[in-house]
Amino acid sequence: MSLPRVNDPAALTGPAARKDKSILLKIFVAALAVRWAYALAMYALMGDGGLKGVDSLTYTSVASDFANALQAGTVHGSQWFGQYVYTMPLYHWLSAVPFLVFGNIYGTVSYVLMQGIFDAGTCLAVYGIARRISARVAIAAAVVAILNPTQVVLSGLFYTDTPFIFFVALSFLAVCRWIEIPSWQNAALLGLFLGCAALIRAIIVPWSFVALALLTCYVLYRRLMLRKAATIAAAFVSLTVCIGVIVAKNVAVFGVAGLTPQSGIHLALWVVPLAKEMQDRTPYMTSYNELEKRTIERFGPHPSNPFEQSRQYTIIAKEALKDIPFSAIAKSWLSGITINLVSPAVLLSPPVLQLPRPGFYNTPGNSFFDKAYNYAFHSGQPVYTWLLLIGSAGLAIMRVLQLIGIVSLARRFANWPALFLAASWCGYILLVNGPVASPKYRLPLEPLFNIWTGAGLIAIRDRRTRPEAANA
């Protein structure tokens, strides 16, 4: 189906507008039905346990405690930003709402159902982005998003990821709107969506400022009016205000101008052990325990200030990294990126996740490929093995379709800026997550993957039905 471009005024009125609203409604309802059906099936099968992954116990506990404190009227001052500094404020508030309304008994399932609404909104954003890049791809991209297993499975788990990618998708949609009409309003919305994403996961902040700088360079390159280019300042202001209040709070409470104290833990307890394992096959937990021991021996018991604790971890991690060759660090990054891209999301579904088997980090092996082979074929769990193999094969097909889609979109020079910005986001997320491997870490890329898959499907259809169109 080919729809008129959104920046065509005729597309926004009359029958075309009614048709577009009908399509949006169908996408939303279909996406919500798929996600709620999955979540309710997991809940019926396993209760709250069917809606929780490895880190969900922390998130549900924090949400419940915050909701109870709000009901008791004991939240004051900086506590309004959340009582757990490792979780960003917007996620604190979102996750607490279901517990406020439905209590502890139904808080978990109601939050997961709310996540289904967010992810259905992500599908709408995917449709909107695809329509602006190539109207012919929009419906295909939306269908892929509706059925995307990674989105469906993770929207059924009590995590931060689903609301985060909702705002990420809205940010890319706002970029498209601003490129079409570089107004102050569209720029402010872009900054607001980026800021909301940052208030859920701070990982987006460095890329956000780089992305806004790239957009500024783009309009200057296109030689648009300076007044139009200056509107991007509204995005900088919106984003800065969103993260500025968090930095100000952390300065006031902890004396540190930072967003989150997670960096030290990530570096010391994830990056270093995984790089060490790649260097000499030292088991992950061995290095983990050694680094914990070094930190306590050097600095004593963990301080109450989480930013000081992060600083201590960072010092120990940097010392340990000096003894690890760059080649081992690079290999650990490549292995993590590979797993993030090829591991199927079904492995995170609680009925599969709870199958008795050794975890990947505890699987022995003389090399990454040896370890991956042992994990796939020697786990002692044939059901898990078959799901891993079938899911990985399906992902391999998706990656081929996405490559075809990228090539087909790149044939139009007008799509290059959008593709470049999308590539910068993909590269950034893969590099930042680095050696830490899980299907959940590629979720921020899925809105773009949906569009590229849709474009690949359309390209194949064109080549089969209209050879001349494929070369147009």
Side-chain angles (χ1 to χ4, degrees), residues 134-462:
S134 174
R136 299 173 61 249
V137 171
I139 293 295
V143 172
V144 172
I146 290 169
L147 301 176
N148 187 332
T150 305
Q151 287 180 240
V152 174
V153 170
L154 282 166
S155 72
L157 292 171
F158 203 115
Y159 280 153
T160 62
D161 304 85
T162 294
F164 176 68
I165 69 155
F166 170 70
F167 287 109
V168 169
L170 287 182
S171 299
F172 275 97
L173 181 58
V175 166
C176 295
R177 288 173 59 90
W178 182 79
I179 289 176
E180 290 174 356
I181 307 173
S183 64
W184 293 98
Q185 181 182 8
N186 286 338
L189 282 174
L190 169 58
L192 177 63
F193 293 145
L194 289 171
C196 287
L199 291 176
I200 293 175
R201 291 184 63 189
I203 191 175
I204 197 174
V205 172
W207 178 84
S208 296
F209 285 106
V210 172
L212 294 180
L214 290 173
L215 290 174
T216 304
C217 294
Y218 167 74
V219 293
L220 293 176
Y221 170 76
R222 289 287 305 276
R223 298 181 181 179
L224 299 177
M225 294 176 57
L226 185 60
R227 181 175 61 84
K228 297 290 186 181
T231 61
I232 200 66
F236 278 103
V237 171
S238 297
L239 174 60
T240 302
V241 168
C242 287
I243 65 175
V245 292
I246 307 305
V247 173
K249 184 270 292 186
N250 288 334
V251 169
V253 177
F254 301 109
V256 177
L259 278 172
T260 175
Q262 291 178 306
S263 58
I265 295 175
H266 177 76
L267 188 63
L269 303 183
W270 285 102
V271 172
V272 173
L274 292 173
K276 180 67 174 174
E277 183 177 21
M278 194 61 64
Q279 177 190 9
D280 55 18
R281 310 316 303 170
T282 300
Y284 168 81
M285 287 307 302
T286 300
S287 297
Y288 179 102
N289 293 329
E290 174 63 23
L291 287 162
E292 278 279 29
K293 180 181 177 181
R294 282 193 214 174
T295 305
I296 293 174
E297 287 178 348
R298 174 82 65 85
F299 299 104
H302 292 315
S304 59
N305 186 329
F307 286 92
E308 173 59 22
Q309 181 185 13
S310 177
R311 186 189 71 84
Q312 294 174 3
Y313 274 129
T314 301
I315 291 173
I316 297 299
K318 287 182 177 179
E319 291 176 356
L321 283 173
K322 291 179 181 178
D323 298 326
I324 302 176
F326 177 78
S327 59
I329 297 173
K331 288 178 182 178
S332 68
W333 242 262
L334 288 174
S335 67
I337 290 172
T338 300
I339 294 173
N340 288 339
L341 289 176
V342 304
S343 55
V346 68
L347 303 184
L348 296 179
S349 185
V352 180
L353 186 66
Q354 295 180 19
L355 290 172
R357 59 183 172 76
F360 181 79
Y361 296 122
N362 294 322
T363 300
N366 296 321
S367 67
F368 168 73
F369 294 103
D370 187 34
K371 185 173 183 174
Y373 181 85
N374 290 335
Y375 180 73
F377 296 103
H378 294 158
S379 66
Q381 189 56 254
V383 173
Y384 190 88
T385 296
W386 277 110
L387 289 173
L388 172 62
L389 295 177
I390 294 171
S392 297
L395 276 175
I397 295 172
M398 290 298 103
R399 299 293 175 255
V400 172
L401 283 173
Q402 288 154 15
L403 182 60
I404 294 172
I406 292 172
V407 172
S408 67
L409 292 176
R411 288 176 177 173
R412 293 186 67 246
F413 180 75
N415 289 332
W416 284 19
L419 289 173
F420 181 79
L421 189 66
S424 73
W425 173 243
C426 292
Y428 173 75
I429 287 296
L430 292 174
L431 287 174
V432 167
N433 288 320
V436 185
S438 171
K440 74 189 290 289
Y441 294 117
R442 70 163 178 269
L443 187 64
L445 311 180
E446 292 296 337
L448 302 176
F449 286 175
N450 293 332
I451 295 169
W452 295 338
T453 303
L457 290 170
I458 295 300
I460 292 173
R461 185 198 68 178
D462 286 348

Side-chain angles (χ1 to χ4, degrees), residues 97-156:
V97 168
F99 287 89
L100 280 171
V101 177
F102 299 103
N104 290 339
I105 296 178
Y106 298 109
T108 298
V109 66
S110 57
Y111 171 78
V112 169
L113 293 178
M114 183 178 71
Q115 278 196 155
I117 297 174
F118 276 112
D119 208 51
T122 299
C123 295
L124 293 181
V126 166
Y127 172 80
I129 298 166
R131 189 177 56 172
R132 285 163 171 82
I133 296 175
S134 174
R136 299 173 61 249
V137 171
I139 293 295
V143 172
V144 172
I146 290 169
L147 301 176
N148 187 332
T150 305
Q151 287 180 240
V152 174
V153 170
L154 282 166
S155 72

